[in-house]
Amino acid sequence: MIVTRDDILRCSFGKWHSQFSHATLPSRIIPLSVEFIEYLNQDGVFLPLDSNGMPQPSYDSKRDDDDADSQHSDSNNSEQDAEWARDKIPSFPELTARIADEIESLGGVVFPKLNWSSPKDATWMTLDGTLRCKTSADIFLLLKSSDFIAHDLTCPFDACSAPNATEPSSGGDASTVDFQEYELILRKWYDLNPSMEFRCFVGNHVLLGACQRDVLNFYPFLVDTRGDLLRGITQFFEKEIQGKFASSDYVFDVYINKNTRKVWLIDFNPFSTTTDSLLYEWEELSVSRNDAHEGSVSVVPQLRVVTGPNSSHNQPAYATNRIPKDVVDFSDGQSIAEFARVMAEQMAESLNVSK
């Protein structure tokens, strides 16, 4: 599977949005400064100062012992906290103001992402478990808490398996991006039905197949309507995307309105193992792609869906981003209470064996 630097860059939101803006959700692109990227790369989860130069309400400052005197009065502590914050915590007033303006222009609620990824692995940090953001503080918290965002910032080209078609603009390490290229994308929030989100795989400009994105759940109606849904996806691909996206091999995500059947483009991703293949295996997709390249075999796409309650994935989404993988594997999707009971039984059994 050959993936070049250009393949990765073409999937960066700012590279494709202007060409496909008519077919995707309303969005705003905000360039990010070197200082803000450095803030995102710093260890720990903490929020910048607000537009008034004060700590954000949700920020819980942690200082060295000699930074504060625990014997001071509450008022003195408050003054010291503010002074310490101004010295230690970064501030991005222009970015914060720009974000506020763009959120308002998009109806007051957005979901954020960087060039390639959204911080969907960090939704467990939010009160409602979603990417809904109404303030810059909501956005900063998600970005700082996400492993997906950290990957965008540190190793976006680690999947590259071929020489670059073009040299990096900075002339430097191909595993990093010129800081000037990083962007914050704010997308208008819609309460999308997860059952109608689909991932589509393209090889040699040919649609190889598609599948539902929410593989954790079984939606019976998808089994009966997948023929119609695949036709809608195929027509959208042929009209809006085929031959227009620069790479020949790529992955794109769509959302289909359940009532009107209108198809919306959500994102592009590299045709690479760094992209989740969901109900497919990358090996079979590579074989289909090779068939499409050679033209010796006619590729007939199919829409794969979860076909029963026992065939869905049990683990919560992005569970491995929250707790150690061996614990997730052992839990097998159980509730906390059930998992605790099984753990207790296993521990008791091990103690009996050791006696």
Side-chain angles (χ1 to χ4, degrees):
M1 189 180 304
I2 299 175
V3 181
T4 68
R5 178 189 172 92
D6 279 353
D7 289 327
I8 305 295
L9 287 174
R10 288 165 185 157
C11 293
S12 178
F13 188 88
K15 299 294 185 182
W16 62 262
H17 178 255
S18 60
Q19 183 178 3
F20 298 99
S21 59
H22 65 283
T24 191
L25 307 180
S27 307
R28 302 288 186 270
I29 300 175
I30 304 175
L32 295 176
S33 66
V34 173
E35 291 76 18
F36 186 76
I37 298 303
E38 290 175 347
Y39 154 71
L40 291 181
N41 278 324
Q42 289 177 3
D43 292 336
V45 177
F46 58 95
L47 302 181
L49 301 179
D50 64 18
S51 57
N52 296 317
M54 299 298 291
Q56 304 273 13
S58 59
Y59 177 73
D60 181 18
S61 60
K62 295 181 179 179
R63 299 167 290 172
D64 294 332
D65 292 339
D66 58 353
D67 282 335
D69 185 352
S70 60
Q71 303 301 317
H72 285 183
S73 65
D74 290 342
S75 60
N76 286 338
N77 280 338
S78 297
E79 293 174 0
Q80 287 189 346
D81 285 343
E83 181 180 354
W84 176 85
R86 283 189 288 269
D87 292 338
K88 301 288 187 179
I89 307 175
S91 177
F92 308 101
E94 293 182 2
L95 176 61
T96 300
R98 173 76 182 278
I99 290 174
D101 290 342
E102 300 295 10
I103 289 177
E104 183 178 359
S105 73
L106 290 170
V109 186
V110 300
F111 69 93
K113 63 173 293 179
L114 291 194
N115 299 47
W116 295 278
S117 304
S118 66
K120 50 186 175 287
D121 60 317
T123 55
W124 61 282
M125 292 284 291
T126 66
L127 293 176
D128 62 357
T130 73
L131 291 175
R132 284 173 56 97
C133 293
K134 296 183 178 181
T135 68
S136 60
D138 296 337
I139 293 170
F140 296 156
L141 178 63
L142 285 169
L143 296 180
K144 282 289 288 181
S145 305
S146 171
D147 289 340
F148 293 171
I149 296 301
H151 178 274
D152 273 15
L153 297 175
T154 57
C155 49
F157 301 114
D158 60 355
C160 291
S161 53
N164 302 330
T166 59
E167 290 300 318
S169 58
S170 62
D173 187 349
S175 66
T176 61
V177 182
D178 185 336
F179 278 131
Q180 305 306 317
E181 296 178 357
Y182 278 113
E183 299 165 328
L184 171 64
I185 291 85
L186 303 181
R187 314 203 71 183
K188 183 178 177 65
W189 175 266
Y190 293 93
D191 289 318
L192 301 182
N193 186 333
S195 67
M196 300 301 287
E197 297 181 66
F198 301 93
R199 173 152 290 179
C200 311
F201 304 89
V202 177
N204 195 31
H205 304 289
V206 174
L207 183 64
L208 306 178
C211 66
Q212 73 181 75
R213 288 206 61 192
D214 179 15
V215 296
L216 301 177
N217 294 292
F218 166 54
Y219 301 101
F221 77 92
L222 288 182
V223 177
D224 300 325
T225 60
R226 55 183 161 180
D228 290 337
L229 293 170
L230 179 59
R231 277 190 289 274
I233 291 172
T234 302
Q235 291 171 2
F236 176 81
F237 168 69
E238 292 174 348
K239 178 183 178 182
E240 302 289 354
I241 300 178
Q242 190 174 34
K244 299 177 181 178
F245 190 71
S247 293
S248 60
D249 306 325
Y250 54 92
V251 179
F252 68 96
D253 295 331
V254 297
Y255 178 79
I256 302 179
N257 185 294
K258 193 173 182 179
N259 297 320
T260 66
R261 288 296 194 263
K262 180 176 176 60
V263 182
W264 293 93
L265 173 65
I266 300 299
D267 209 356
F268 285 100
N269 295 284
F271 193 89
S272 162
T273 54
T274 57
T275 300
D276 195 339
S277 59
L278 301 173
L279 296 179
Y280 285 86
E281 298 293 336
W282 272 114
E283 183 177 355
E284 62 176 321
L285 288 170
S286 296
V287 170
S288 296
R289 188 202 62 161
N290 292 339
D291 291 340
H293 272 281
E294 296 170 0
S296 58
V297 178
S298 177
V299 177
V300 179
Q302 58 175 299
L303 175 60
R304 293 186 182 178
V305 300
V306 176
T307 55
N310 296 324
S311 59
S312 60
H313 293 228
N314 289 323
Q315 289 184 182
Y318 317 117
T320 53
N321 297 85
R322 308 180 189 186
I323 55 179
K325 183 180 184 300
D326 54 350
V327 176
V328 174
D329 292 341
F330 182 76
S331 71
D332 194 28
Q334 302 167 99
S335 68
I336 293 176
E338 177 66 12
F339 174 63
R341 183 188 65 78
V342 174
M343 279 290 290
E345 291 177 354
Q346 292 287 334
M347 291 178 66
E349 181 179 342
S350 64
L351 289 173
N352 290 333
V353 170
S354 63
K355 288 182 179 178

